[in-house]
């Protein structure tokens, strides 16, 4: 697959910022630290337990030295048994403390992972419709779910592996330096070089490759969701083989990248092993040389060998530590970026709830344009819709009809002017409360893979079964629902695929009935219905519109004959307005649209 075609699966931006954002390892470590310290007492207890266990491990070479000296020099049985008891006690304490620490960490980690994924989901939910339109759902799902496991890997690497490694290596270097300055200096220099080598290799050699692998991993989720979501289209064109090939190319690109990443980790490990060989040869050789000169005992040599084995065990894991840590940080990157990037349409601090029951809508000198368009769609646009008025919006594609409704819902912020509903500036109130006052029935209703009852009650989850059934009856949906094996408890499938287009439309209309909002938006709400059902639903909608401000987006002009006012849009302007008969008689833009649609009918 070429870079150009791969870009189809690459998000346009990380969090609505336009360009891909990244964070340094230091910033990512700060992100993990904030999660740790959200429960300071539990974190301090866990860290203290593992710290104590590490000091037990650090003391083992000295206990071995005492035991060997007692056996080889003094031949004092009591002293030997005491040394044996100390060594055995250190081992027992080490394993007991670690087991206790792991038990404490289980709940601590699980709560943090829960918090990471729920906060990530909440932040993604808060992003604008434009952001969601620019980012693949499959890639976003992958990023959010991957972040909690990234935290798990990074935390294990830091708390359970890196911290003990640094304490043991540093502690042994210092304790050796006190007794044998040259040996301590040799160990300290080699350990320091080892640490610097790993940090530099992680930052400049393995991290870039690993981050690219993660992006390609996200592209797998994006490509998979794109193809599965469009499966009906794939089948209708018999394009299964083509989609399989397309997906295989995305996976193949990931495979090449992840092999390169793993090879870089392996090359880093080769350098680590060479330094381990140098440590073994140098440490044991220097103590053996001291023994030959009578400057060290057999216990000292045993101490050197035990110290090397202990240090080698930790250092040998350093490759795994750096790999786990870097991968964990990289896996956490996307959600960490999300959490640092505020929503594009944020509520103002202390914003009040929206309180409106009349449904008056006023556009006051509104200027608005989409980011990807060179010119503004609306310029100083003003319009008033009276409470309870039924207004139809007509006009060619791109004329501004759908944008009008999106602005009323505050899915975008205007660049100039203001929009008032019942006298309240919608940019100053809480978005959730505003949108709950607007019931929308779209042309292609999206249902959740939940029961029919849950989908109807989505706007009023506290609704009773009787209220749900009444809404379905008014939407002419009860009969087909009652005929299903599980009735209102039938699962509708992802996006409602188990229902026909007309059935989905009627469930969406029932949802609008139950929401009982003062403003109603109908976007070709009867477009998927047969003629007989359309008549029935139209009658039900006439009842629903009574006493509510209604905005109807229409392409079939026959559905808006009863509108109080028809607004004809063209390039973000209202070029004509009036009732159906008046506009047809005027012989203008609406009359021409009417002639075309009537002729097509």
């Amino acid at each position: 697959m070429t870079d150009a075609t791969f870009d189809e699966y690459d998000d346009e931006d990380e969090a609505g910022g336009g360009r891909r954002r990244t964070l340094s390892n230091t910033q990512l470590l700060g992100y993990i630290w904030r999660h740790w310290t959200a429960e300071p007492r539990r974190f301090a207890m866990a860290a203290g337990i593992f710290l104590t266990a590490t000091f037990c491990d650090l003391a083992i070479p000295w206990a071995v030295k005492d035991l060997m000296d007692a056996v080889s020099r003094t031949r004092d049985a009591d002293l030997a048994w005491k040394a044996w008891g100390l060594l055995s006690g250190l081992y027992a304490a080490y394993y007991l403390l670690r087991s206790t620490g792991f038990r404490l960490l289980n709940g601590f980690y699980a709560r943090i992972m829960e918090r990471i994924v729920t906060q990530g989901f909440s932040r993604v939910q808060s992003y604008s419709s434009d952001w969601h339109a620019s980012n693949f759902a499959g890639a976003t799902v992958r990023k959010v779910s991957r972040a909690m496991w990234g935290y798990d890997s990074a935390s294990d690497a830091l708390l359970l592996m890196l911290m003990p490694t640094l304490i043991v290596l540093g502690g042994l270097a210092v304790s050796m330096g006190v007794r044998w300055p040259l040996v301590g200096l040799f160990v300290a220099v080699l350990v320091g070089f080892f640490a610097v080598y790993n940090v530099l290799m992680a930052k400049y050699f393995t991290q870039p490759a690993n981050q690219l692998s993660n992006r390609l991993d996200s592209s797998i989720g994006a490509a998979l969701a794109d193809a599965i979501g469009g499966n009906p289209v794939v089948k209708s064109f018999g394009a299964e083989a083509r989609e399989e090939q397309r997906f295989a190319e995305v996976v193949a690109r990931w495979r090449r990248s992840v092999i390169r990443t793993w090879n870089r980790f392996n090359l880093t490990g080769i350098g680590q092993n060479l330094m381990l060989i140098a440590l073994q040869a140098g440490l044991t050789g220097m103590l053996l040389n001291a023994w030959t000169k009578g400057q060290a005992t057999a216990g000292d040599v045993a101490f050197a060998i035990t110290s090397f084995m202990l240090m080698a065990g930790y250092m040998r894991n350093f490759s795994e530590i750096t790999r786990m840590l870097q991968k964990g940080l990289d896996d956490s990157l996307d959600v960490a970026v999300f959490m640092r990037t505020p929503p594009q349409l944020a509520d103002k601090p202390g914003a009040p709830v929206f309180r409106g029951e009349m449904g008056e809508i006023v556009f006051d000198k509104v200027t608005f344009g989409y980011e990807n368009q060179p010119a503004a769609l609306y310029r100083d646009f003003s319009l008033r819709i009276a409470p309870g008025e039924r207004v139809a919006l007509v006009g060619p594609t791109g004329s501004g009809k759908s944008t009008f409704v999106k602005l009323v819902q505050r899915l975008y912020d205007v660049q100039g002017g203001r929009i008032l509903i019942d006298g309240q500036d919608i940019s100053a109130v809480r978005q959730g409360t505003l949108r709950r006052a607007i019931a929308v029935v779209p042309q292609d209703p999206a249902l959740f893979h939940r029961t029919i009852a849950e989908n109807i009650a989505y706007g009023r989850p506290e609704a009773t079964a009787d209220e749900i059934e009444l809404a379905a009856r008014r939407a002419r949906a009860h009969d087909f629902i009652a005929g299903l094996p599980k009735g209102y408890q039938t699962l509708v499938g992802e996006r409602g695929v188990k229902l026909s287009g007309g059935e989905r439309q009627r469930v969406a209309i029932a949802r609008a009935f139950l929401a009982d909002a003062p403003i109603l938006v109908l976007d070709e709400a009867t477009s998927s219905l047969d003629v007989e059902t359309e008549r029935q639903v139209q009658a039900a909608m006439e009842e629903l519109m009574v006493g509510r401000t209604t905005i109807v987006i229409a392409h079939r002009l026959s559905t808006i004959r009863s509108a109080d006012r028809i607004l004809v849009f063209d390039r973000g302007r209202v070029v004509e307005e009036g009732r159906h008969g008046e506009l047809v008689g005027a012989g203008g833009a609406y009359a021409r649209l009417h002639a075309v649609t009537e002729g097509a009918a």
Side-chain angles (χ1 to χ4, degrees), residues 345-355 409-410 424-437:
L345 298 174
D347 289 335
K348 294 179 180 178
V353 299
F354 174 77
R355 299 187 184 281
Q409 294 177 276
R410 203 195 162 199
Q424 301 165 80
D425 187 338
I426 65 171
S427 67
V429 300
R430 295 183 196 170
Q431 298 172 66
T433 59
L434 167 70
R435 291 170 191 152
R436 284 193 287 274

Side-chain angles (χ1 to χ4, degrees), residues 378-391:
Y378 291 151
R379 285 188 182 278
D380 292 327
F381 180 85
S382 295
L383 178 73
R384 177 181 180 272
I385 298 177
E389 187 177 12
R390 302 181 189 181
V391 175

Side-chain angles (χ1 to χ4, degrees), residues 56-70 80 82-91 299 303 306:
C56 289
D57 209 17
L58 180 60
I60 286 173
W62 294 103
V64 170
K65 173 187 178 305
D66 291 343
L67 178 60
M68 290 299 298
D69 280 340
K82 286 179 181 178
W84 173 85
L86 175 62
L87 180 62
S88 300
L90 286 171
Y91 269 112
F303 166 81
T306 308

